[in-house]
Amino acid sequence: MRFDVITLFPELFAPFLSIGITRRAFESGQVDVQCTNPRDFATGNYRRVDDRPFGGGPGMVMMAQPLELALAHIRSQRTDHAPVVLFSPIGKRLDHAAVQRWSASSGAVLVCGRYEGIDQRFIDTQVHEQISLGDFVLSGGEVPAIALLDAVARLQPGVLSDADSHHLDSFNPSLDGLLDCPHYTRPEEWAGVTVPDVLMSGHHGQIERWRRDQRLKLTAQHRPDLLDVARAAGLLSRQDEAVLQAQG
Ligand code: 9WO
């Protein structure tokens, strides 16, 4: 798949593409990421990509024309009709199901805004979809773009270890069903706190039940909305319900 990124700061992307478990996916081109800088398509001595907002007010607005030329350049390199995505709090919240869809797609053109925003005419005529990471404002769309690329890359075949690859299964409730259980590693006692006995017991059946109980309790406590979804999807057993009942 190929993701084109329209950004005034392409140098932000290289470090993320060259580290960690996702590096191989990016470096092999399994997830091909190409950055295009609208400044390269700006005209005039000053190569301006922003201007003052009509109607007045603070800050600057990204001009439509350099963005449109950057997009046309990308379209000339792609043979598909890849959707154009803008990262903005207006958009639909990104979740695991959407990441799974993107990870099985042929890619997209990711537009990263800067300044106060983008000329609305570019959004109205060129953007197919807006994606939000949450109800907060950043200084640019680059961090959300990197978040999406990271989430998509780790779902590519061969990126996760065998032990973790159940995350690839869209029916596995590991993320969209319940929250993850707590993890512990050496030493057995740290800062006066010991690891739960069951994890040291070697009883794999008991360990699995304890982890399931922890996930149920954590989800009930922190994300009761996810618990309702899991229940409606038929992902909770009678034993799960009994554990939740006992907990109150
Ligand atoms: C900012 C904004 C704030 C309130 C309502 C709508 C909004 N749209 C944008 C916007 O598109 N801003 C551009 C991208 C330019 C300024 C920096 N940008 C941005 C994207 N800030 N915050 C985001 C963002 C993207 C996804 N999820 C959370 C925040």
Side-chain angles (χ1 to χ4, degrees):
M1 72 184 58
R2 172 168 164 163
F3 285 92
D4 285 279
V5 183
I6 298 181
T7 172
L8 289 169
F9 300 102
E11 64 275 20
L12 285 176
F13 288 80
F16 285 92
L17 304 181
S18 59
I19 54 133
I21 60 163
T22 53
R23 177 175 62 150
R24 203 178 284 277
F26 292 123
E27 289 185 348
S28 69
Q30 196 177 9
V31 181
D32 183 14
V33 178
Q34 299 292 332
C35 290
T36 300
N37 191 338
R39 188 152 328 257
D40 296 339
F41 300 89
T43 52
N45 284 342
Y46 298 97
R47 297 206 160 267
R48 288 187 72 152
V49 293
D50 62 312
D51 211 330
R52 287 149 56 197
F54 280 127
M60 302 295 269
V61 176
M62 285 182 90
M63 298 163 73
Q65 188 64 9
L67 291 170
E68 159 68 10
L69 290 172
L71 181 57
H73 172 74
I74 290 164
R75 290 268 183 235
S76 76
Q77 296 180 354
R78 293 186 71 121
T79 51
D80 60 357
H81 297 277
V84 177
V85 172
L86 176 66
F87 295 100
S88 145
I90 281 181
K92 188 169 180 285
R93 269 284 273 281
L94 188 65
D95 62 14
H96 185 60
V99 169
Q100 282 179 320
R101 285 195 295 275
W102 285 115
S103 70
S105 77
S106 56
V109 180
L110 310 180
V111 181
C112 305
R114 280 272 156 178
Y115 310 116
E116 294 301 306
I118 294 175
D119 189 309
Q120 189 61 36
R121 293 167 293 186
F122 178 82
I123 299 173
D124 291 344
T125 62
Q126 307 298 334
V127 172
H128 299 107
E129 188 175 333
Q130 301 196 44
I131 296 179
S132 171
L133 296 194
D135 294 335
F136 54 91
V137 179
L138 295 161
S139 55
E142 284 80 5
V143 166
I146 287 166
L148 177 65
L149 292 170
D150 182 74
V152 163
R154 68 180 277 290
L155 293 188
Q156 295 306 303
V159 171
L160 292 180
S161 68
D162 287 349
D164 282 330
S165 54
H166 59 268
H167 291 283
L168 298 171
D169 183 351
S170 58
F171 299 106
N172 192 290
S174 57
L175 185 63
D176 42 358
L178 300 174
L179 300 178
D180 201 2
C181 62
H183 304 285
Y184 298 88
T185 187
R186 295 196 297 173
E188 204 175 318
E189 183 184 327
W190 180 80
V193 186
T194 55
V195 172
D197 285 337
V198 62
L199 297 179
M200 311 305 293
S201 70
H203 289 113
H204 294 293
Q206 286 177 25
I207 290 169
E208 281 318 298
R209 187 65 242 171
W210 179 85
R211 287 182 168 154
R212 180 81 183 171
D213 293 353
Q214 291 293 309
R215 295 182 63 202
L216 290 162
K217 287 174 186 174
L218 278 172
T219 309
Q221 193 179 344
H222 296 284
R223 294 295 304 277
D225 57 315
L226 290 182
L227 204 60
D228 293 340
V229 171
R231 185 174 285 124
L235 295 170
L236 300 189
S237 69
R238 220 175 270 169
Q239 193 174 2
D240 291 341
E241 295 290 5
V243 168
L244 291 165
Q245 198 80 55
Q247 189 210 180

